[in-house]
Amino acid sequence: MEYRKLGNSGFKVSAVTYGNWLTHASQVENDRAHACVRAALDAGITTFDTADVYANTAAETVLGDALRGERRESLEIFTKVYFPTGPMGPNDTGLSRKHIMDSIDGSLSRLQTDYVDLYQAHRYDHETPLQETMQAFADIVRQGKALYIGVSEWDAEQLRAGHELARELGFQLVSNQPQYSALWRVIEEKVVPTSEELGMSQVVWSPMAQGVLSGKYKPGQPVPEGSRATDEKGGQKMIERWMRDEVLTAVQKLQPVADGLDITMAQLAIAWVLQNPNVATAIIGASKPEQIAPSAEISGLELSEDVMTTIDEALADVIERDPALTESPKQRLV
């Protein structure tokens, strides 16, 4: 497993992270979830990403149970705060000081740990002064409840403002967690250059574009039973933007590229994301333990310029690049 530094800190994470969005306490029974975590550890993955909102806090509980007994110092555990949790009252969401302080304690209890390695603002909160949010994060770092602070899906201007306040308060933002794949490149024009300037890394989610880049969805054919495209709990809605014949046809052009490298299309998708030097780690999910090792094995594979160009040409007409699509809700959900 390759390890990469997170931002300009000295903190290293595995290049492939195991995440439990849409799986633990939702699509996957607890016994299988525990088996997936064990498979991740066996594959050399030591970095785990979750969030309090996943399965309304239950996913954190499952991850905490699955990691019980592991040497804490050998793990990197990430979680997030912003979206509604609990009974979803007026203070059960956002990045107010109250919600952040309540949420970190809840997350630590469910994860069965005294601290998280990275605590992330799951979205930007337009209803809370940024100074209030950053002060709360600073206090959490000083209390030792989080070692590093990151954000998720913040645009370039928000990153710059948050980074400046964090420095004034004596800590640093080390990462941003955006959606990023060969199909979804909205961070490349503004977010990545700004992050490089500020010394922040990307912790990317959905490197396989919700599974579309695995090639399992074929144009003009029914979707496979049990796939994310059939998941009415959330996966189906997330993937629908890619379930167009023109996208699926373009993706199929990547099969010869993967075959030429003797890897799968899913491995090609992860390797592509990791070619970006600003990406510290790519988050993978799994509903079966056997899905994990192949994704971890691709860590460290370098794609040639010719391969990268071929991928660009194959997907050219269906790539989304609009930087305006990097945004957070203007109003909280509750």
Side-chain angles (χ1 to χ4, degrees):
M1 174 61 63
E2 179 188 9
Y3 276 78
R4 300 181 175 191
K5 285 187 177 182
L6 202 58
N8 60 5
S9 73
F11 178 45
K12 293 184 178 180
V13 297
S14 52
V16 176
T17 289
Y18 180 74
N20 69 354
W21 173 56
L22 291 180
T23 52
H24 293 185
S26 180
Q27 293 178 341
V28 176
E29 296 297 326
N30 286 1
D31 287 349
R32 199 194 307 173
H34 287 203
C36 286
V37 170
R38 173 50 52 192
L41 291 165
D42 290 344
I45 295 172
T46 58
T47 308
F48 295 85
D49 180 81
T50 187
D52 57 3
V53 70
Y54 297 166
N56 195 17
T57 73
E60 285 185 326
T61 299
V62 173
L63 182 60
D65 288 341
L67 291 174
R68 186 189 302 129
E70 293 295 320
R71 182 176 184 270
R72 179 65 183 88
E73 294 84 351
S74 299
L75 302 174
E76 304 86 46
I77 299 176
F78 301 174
T79 193
K80 313 179 197 72
V81 58
Y82 171 84
F83 285 108
T85 56
M88 300 187 185
N91 289 307
D92 290 335
T93 187
L95 297 177
S96 68
R97 182 178 181 84
K98 176 173 175 57
H99 184 54
I100 290 174
M101 291 303 189
D102 289 343
S103 295
I104 186 62
D105 287 340
S107 290
L108 295 180
S109 176
R110 291 184 291 270
L111 290 166
Q112 303 178 44
T113 182
D114 294 330
Y115 67 94
V116 291
D117 296 276
L118 182 69
Y119 199 40
Q120 303 160 99
H122 209 160
R123 290 296 184 272
Y124 186 88
D125 187 356
H126 292 275
E127 296 187 28
T128 299
L130 186 58
Q131 174 77 36
E132 177 180 341
T133 296
M134 291 296 111
Q135 182 65 65
F137 282 139
D139 291 343
I140 283 173
V141 170
R142 292 190 182 95
Q143 292 167 5
K145 295 179 179 180
L147 304 186
Y148 298 91
I149 301 296
V151 300
S152 177
E153 295 290 358
W154 284 27
D155 65 28
E157 291 73 21
Q158 292 160 355
L159 291 177
R160 193 175 298 281
H163 184 270
E164 182 178 353
L165 274 174
R167 290 189 62 183
E168 292 176 2
L169 292 166
F171 72 101
Q172 60 179 333
L173 293 183
V174 296
S175 63
N176 176 49
Q177 186 174 133
Q179 181 178 181
Y180 185 52
S181 70
L183 285 171
W184 186 263
R185 308 190 191 184
V186 303
I187 64 171
E188 289 183 340
E189 182 178 333
K190 295 183 178 181
V191 167
V192 168
T194 299
S195 297
E196 290 174 337
E197 176 191 341
L198 300 176
M200 299 176 64
S201 293
Q202 308 305 313
V203 175
V204 304
W205 60 274
S206 199
M208 287 186 280
Q210 288 84 56
V212 168
L213 286 168
S214 71
K216 65 183 175 182
Y217 301 106
K218 306 293 194 298
Q221 296 185 21
V223 299
E225 287 297 324
S227 66
R228 182 166 293 182
T230 66
D231 174 31
E232 297 180 353
K233 296 180 180 180
Q236 187 180 70
K237 184 174 178 61
M238 289 296 300
I239 201 175
E240 63 184 7
R241 69 158 64 93
W242 304 123
M243 299 302 291
R244 309 189 313 271
D245 278 356
E246 60 266 34
V247 174
L248 302 182
T249 299
V251 169
Q252 290 304 311
K253 296 178 184 178
L254 301 181
Q255 185 66 65
V257 181
D259 290 344
L261 295 168
D262 196 25
I263 61 176
T264 67
M265 289 177 65
Q267 289 175 315
L268 180 65
I270 296 169
W272 183 91
V273 161
L274 292 175
Q275 302 309 295
N276 189 320
N278 193 231
V279 171
T281 184
I283 302 172
I284 63 164
S287 57
K288 300 175 182 178
E290 57 267 27
Q291 296 171 330
I292 296 172
S295 297
E297 289 168 0
I298 212 63
S299 166
L301 176 68
E302 292 188 14
L303 302 180
S304 69
E305 290 187 14
D306 287 346
V307 167
M308 296 293 282
T309 298
T310 300
I311 293 172
D312 287 348
E313 291 173 348
L315 302 177
D317 293 335
V318 294
I319 295 171
E320 182 57 73
R321 299 181 184 274
D322 184 1
L325 293 174
T326 299
E327 61 179 353
S328 297
K330 294 298 185 286
Q331 290 185 320
R332 298 178 190 163
L333 300 180
V334 295

